[in-house]
Amino acid sequence: MAQEKSVKKRWWKWVAGIFATLLLIAIGSGLYLYHKWKPILSEKIKKTVVNSSQGLYILDFKDIHLNVLTGTASVDEAVLNPDTIVFSALKKVGLAPANLFQVKVKKLQINHIGLLNAYFNKKVDISSIVLDQPSINMIHYKVRKRKDSLKPELSLYQLLPGRIKSIHVNAIRIVNADFDYVKGETSKPLNRIRKLNLNVKDLLIDSLSQYDTTRFYHTKDIGFELTGYQSKDKMYLTKADTISGSATGKTIRIQGLKMIPLHPDLAFSRMYKYGKDRYDLNFSEISFSGVDFLRLNEEEVFHAKTLRLGPSKVGIFLNREMPPAPGLDKGANFPHMALRKLTLPATIDTVKLEDIDLAYTEYNPISQKRGTVYFQNLNGTIRHVTTDSLSLVKSNHAIANLNAMVMKKTKINLQIDFNLTDKNGAFSYSGAAGSLDLKALNPVAVPLGLIEIESGNMQKVDFNFTANRNGSSGKVHFYYTDLKLKLLKEGENGAAPKKKGLLSFLANNLLVEDANPAKGAAARTANVTFQRSPAASFFNLLWKGVFVGMRETAGLGMVPVKTPEEGTEAIKEKKKERKEKSRAREEKKREKKVS
């Protein structure tokens, strides 16, 4: 028994000794190969980058580390720069790429290289490549491509060194990258992104992968993710929880996008010399699907099948005490006019609005009150949104079909037909709203119009207009009963408005038609022609046409509606009047003290 134990003990010693010897030989061989081949490998890598890019790129790094046993390698402080002389030469002959890259990385890690397969079969297999916290500049140039060149552009496979049959990388991860998109002609940054994560899945470069339609630039997917994006200036904080996308999935997704004003509404508006809209935006999600990334990269044309907006909350505030800027014409900001300001051709087949709550608020300095128009649960589609010249030849109209709850009480349906090429921003719109207790409009009518609706029931209203940036014309059918109004005058120093008793009596008895149709009469139709003030927005033009038609039907057509410019002058006069009254009151107080 003791002899058997002794034999086993000697056997394990032999096994351990052999294993230790082999391990020492492997480690020694690895160290020998590492030190012998390290300078050669470094030089070989640098030459390969130069040759495979046809001299366009130069790679440099501080040090390289190679572990033959584990098949891992790392490069310290690597820098990839384009050779501007080579780029200029390629540009002259129409062979330059549209984008150049400058890359700086503290450490590049390559994991699990199949050294035996690479040596014997000339196939490079890598588990993963990781770039941690790199700085990447993508420099974009407008380049002229030679269409008559006899020399075809080489594929990635053709650029591989002759003895290598293929390169396969399971995953490439770029972690917390700083990415700058720069305009080459001016060196001006167009976009800056921080903490960008990029994931490349299953990169394969061989003789067939370039023809594989399931791949995007030789990969199964290129995905990106940006978390915790923030941008801040003196007026707004803009932030997004997550921005992500997938090349093969053809998606871009923005979650938790917020544009937050940094000052209360009146304080915000008074920081500008002239009137300016204040926005408070909160989009739970914005997503693009069917994005053609290949066309975007190669032709600089953006195309997406669908854009979804919502759920979201949108708040817009305007202080009417602030005068419009001299020469301002908000016609240039009409949706289809503003679309033309895009710097690259773009087409979105369908925009889907889903559960958007919109609140438009104005401050009336005469009443010193705010009035808000609410559009809740706004849903609908806008089809054929485009600035692309080829798409516009096929059709130059974008069609919107929308519906929402107005003032939380009644549903409105609205159709808008935008002419995308008309120089004056032509469009037409029509729609209808259902029954409504008209007193629901008082939160707007009282502070902004100094009119209180004492009673009134709307059965329905429908309208049909043609319009452009100069104004609108159309018909309004407003059906209602039991309409009674109260005309108000502003209270002093923000006090509640007071009734104009005599004028209210005269208005209700001499002007206002209490019903349409009146008993025993045909229904009245308002034919409206409305001239837009340059300071009036697209939204203002839409509702003013309908509003004027409703006023005319109710018998108030002879009472003029002030333009924003006229409103500003009235405000100036009212402020002057208030100062004079205040001065008079102070003088009376002093006189009483003296007496």
Side-chain angles (χ1 to χ4, degrees):
M1 187 71 176
Q3 185 177 0
E4 185 177 346
K5 286 183 178 180
S6 178
V7 170
K8 284 184 178 180
K9 190 175 182 180
R10 286 197 301 270
W11 185 81
W12 279 110
K13 283 183 178 180
W14 275 103
V15 171
I18 292 170
F19 179 77
T21 302
L22 291 173
L23 184 61
L24 288 171
I25 292 171
I27 292 172
S29 300
L31 290 172
Y32 171 77
L33 289 172
Y34 173 68
H35 288 292
K36 179 178 177 61
W37 290 99
K38 179 179 176 180
I40 299 173
L41 182 62
S42 297
E43 190 62 29
K44 184 69 174 176
I45 291 173
K46 293 176 182 180
K47 283 186 177 179
T48 300
V49 169
V50 172
N51 294 335
S52 62
S53 67
Q54 297 179 304
L56 185 57
Y57 285 100
I58 301 168
L59 175 68
D60 195 13
F61 47 83
K62 184 177 180 180
D63 201 0
I64 185 170
H65 309 279
L66 177 65
N67 189 320
V68 178
L69 296 178
T70 60
T72 60
S74 63
V75 178
D76 295 337
E77 297 183 23
V79 178
L80 181 72
N81 277 317
D83 188 320
T84 54
I85 296 175
V86 174
F87 176 74
S88 297
L90 291 172
K91 194 174 180 180
K92 286 180 181 178
V93 296
L95 296 174
N99 300 307
L100 289 180
F101 292 88
Q102 293 175 329
V103 182
K104 294 180 181 180
V105 59
K106 189 77 174 176
K107 186 174 183 179
L108 185 153
Q109 181 78 32
I110 304 173
N111 298 314
H112 306 301
I113 307 170
L115 295 175
L116 294 177
N117 193 32
Y119 183 79
F120 290 106
N121 298 323
K122 313 303 180 189
K123 294 182 178 180
V124 179
D125 280 300
I126 299 171
S127 174
S128 64
I129 299 175
V130 180
L131 287 80
D132 191 18
Q133 299 182 14
S135 172
I136 303 170
N137 289 343
M138 180 177 175
I139 309 165
H140 179 75
Y141 291 89
K142 287 188 176 182
V143 296
R144 176 184 54 84
K145 292 287 186 180
R146 273 183 62 183
K147 296 182 179 180
D148 60 341
S149 174
L150 298 176
K151 185 178 180 181
E153 192 171 326
L154 295 177
S155 67
L156 278 177
Y157 174 69
Q158 291 171 320
L159 292 173
L160 292 179
R163 289 178 294 174
I164 296 178
K165 295 180 180 179
S166 67
I167 294 177
H168 179 242
V169 185
N170 282 331
I172 300 174
R173 294 194 297 274
I174 298 176
V175 183
N176 285 339
D178 288 344
F179 180 87
D180 286 359
Y181 183 57
V182 181
K183 187 175 182 179
E185 288 78 10
T186 62
S187 299
K188 179 182 178 181
L190 299 176
N191 286 291
R192 285 181 169 172
I193 300 174
R194 299 294 177 258
K195 296 183 179 180
L196 173 69
N197 296 316
L198 194 68
N199 295 292
V200 179
K201 180 181 177 183
D202 193 9
L203 171 67
L204 176 62
I205 303 172
D206 64 10
S207 59
L208 298 177
S209 62
Q210 62 182 316
Y211 305 111
D212 187 346
T213 56
T214 66
R215 291 182 177 272
F216 178 79
Y217 288 114
H218 296 272
T219 74
K220 281 295 184 182
D221 192 20
I222 299 176
F224 65 88
E225 183 178 78
L226 177 66
T227 58
Y229 169 81
Q230 284 197 8
S231 175
K232 187 176 181 181
D233 57 27
K234 292 181 180 180
M235 309 306 290
Y236 289 101
L237 169 65
T238 303
K239 61 182 183 178
D241 294 337
T242 306
I243 303 173
S244 59
S246 166
T248 54
K250 298 184 177 182
T251 60
I252 300 173
R253 190 180 185 193
I254 305 170
Q255 293 178 290
L257 177 65
K258 296 179 181 179
M259 186 174 174
I260 305 168
L262 298 178
H263 308 280
D265 52 13
L266 286 177
F268 182 101
S269 65
R270 290 166 180 167
M271 293 176 73
Y272 293 97
K273 186 177 180 180
Y274 301 106
K276 197 172 185 68
D277 292 338
R278 172 186 180 270
Y279 296 96
D280 190 346
L281 311 179
N282 186 347
F283 287 88
S284 296
E285 185 166 335
I286 300 172
S287 64
F288 294 88
S289 60
V291 180
D292 192 339
F293 286 100
L294 196 63
R295 190 180 180 196
L296 177 62
N297 183 60
E298 294 183 351
E299 301 178 28
E300 298 181 51
V301 174
F302 180 83
H303 178 243
K305 290 184 178 178
T306 306
L307 165 61
R308 294 179 184 272
L309 297 170
S312 61
K313 295 184 182 297
V314 177
I316 305 171
F317 174 81
L318 180 63
N319 181 0
R320 282 297 181 193
E321 76 179 357
M322 307 304 294
L328 171 70
D329 185 357
K330 288 187 176 180
N333 295 326
F334 281 15
H336 52 316
M337 300 289 279
L339 189 65
R340 301 175 192 177
K341 298 177 184 178
L342 292 178
T343 56
L344 78 165
T347 298
I348 301 173
D349 296 340
T350 303
V351 178
K352 293 188 176 182
L353 307 178
E354 299 177 344
D355 195 19
I356 296 175
D357 289 345
L358 171 64
Y360 176 78
T361 302
E362 284 190 8
Y363 174 75
N364 182 355
I366 295 178
S367 65
Q368 298 183 32
K369 302 291 183 183
R370 296 167 179 80
T372 302
V373 182
Y374 294 98
F375 293 90
Q376 292 184 302
N377 304 118
L378 174 63
N379 292 277
T381 60
I382 309 172
R383 301 192 184 279
H384 193 59
V385 178
T386 184
T387 61
D388 182 64
S389 57
L390 293 177
S391 297
L392 288 170
V393 169
K394 296 177 183 178
S395 174
N396 66 337
H397 286 261
I399 308 297
N401 286 282
L402 311 172
N403 61 81
M405 294 296 294
V406 180
M407 302 303 289
K408 310 176 185 180
K409 299 295 184 181
T410 188
K411 188 174 183 179
I412 186 171
N413 294 295
L414 177 66
Q415 299 80 43
I416 308 175
D417 183 340
F418 296 97
N419 187 322
L420 299 176
T421 55
D422 184 79
K423 64 179 182 180
N424 286 320
F427 67 99
S428 61
Y429 66 101
S430 61
S435 61
L436 176 68
D437 182 345
L438 291 173
K439 288 186 290 185
L441 301 178
N442 280 331
V444 181
V446 172
L448 300 186
L450 290 174
I451 295 175
E452 182 179 349
I453 301 171
E454 292 187 297
S455 67
N457 292 293
M458 180 177 80
Q459 283 72 56
K460 69 173 182 176
V461 62
D462 62 73
F463 48 90
N464 194 322
F465 281 85
T466 58
N468 59 29
R469 65 189 299 167
N470 299 316
S472 62
S473 61
K475 295 180 181 295
V476 177
H477 301 100
F478 175 35
Y479 303 95
Y480 63 93
T481 58
D482 192 30
L483 180 62
K484 292 288 185 292
L485 304 177
K486 184 191 295 183
L487 302 184
L488 306 173
K489 61 180 179 179
E490 71 280 358
E492 290 295 328
N493 298 317
K498 299 176 182 179
K499 181 179 179 180
K500 293 180 178 180
L502 178 59
L503 289 178
S504 296
F505 173 81
L506 293 174
N508 284 311
N509 286 276
L510 300 178
L511 296 178
V512 175
E513 300 280 358
D514 65 353
N516 185 36
K519 190 174 181 179
R524 301 185 302 278
T525 297
N527 294 295
V528 178
T529 298
F530 177 70
Q531 186 174 0
R532 186 186 75 89
S533 161
S537 66
F538 177 78
F539 179 74
N540 180 278
L541 177 60
L542 284 183
W543 76 263
K544 271 291 178 68
V546 179
F547 174 68
V548 169
M550 293 174 70
R551 280 171 53 90
E552 288 188 1
T553 304
L556 294 173
M558 66 179 62
V559 180
V561 178
K562 289 185 176 70
T563 66
E565 291 83 358
E566 290 170 341
T568 299
E569 289 302 315
I571 290 164
K572 288 180 181 179
E573 290 299 320
K574 182 56 64 176
K575 283 183 175 181
K576 184 179 178 181
E577 181 184 328
R578 282 177 174 165
K579 285 181 180 179
E580 290 175 353
K581 286 183 178 180
S582 178
R583 192 181 302 113
R585 285 194 295 267
E586 291 297 323
E587 287 178 1
K588 284 183 179 180
K589 286 180 182 179
R590 286 195 296 269
E591 288 174 1
K592 284 182 180 180
K593 287 181 181 180
V594 171
S595 62

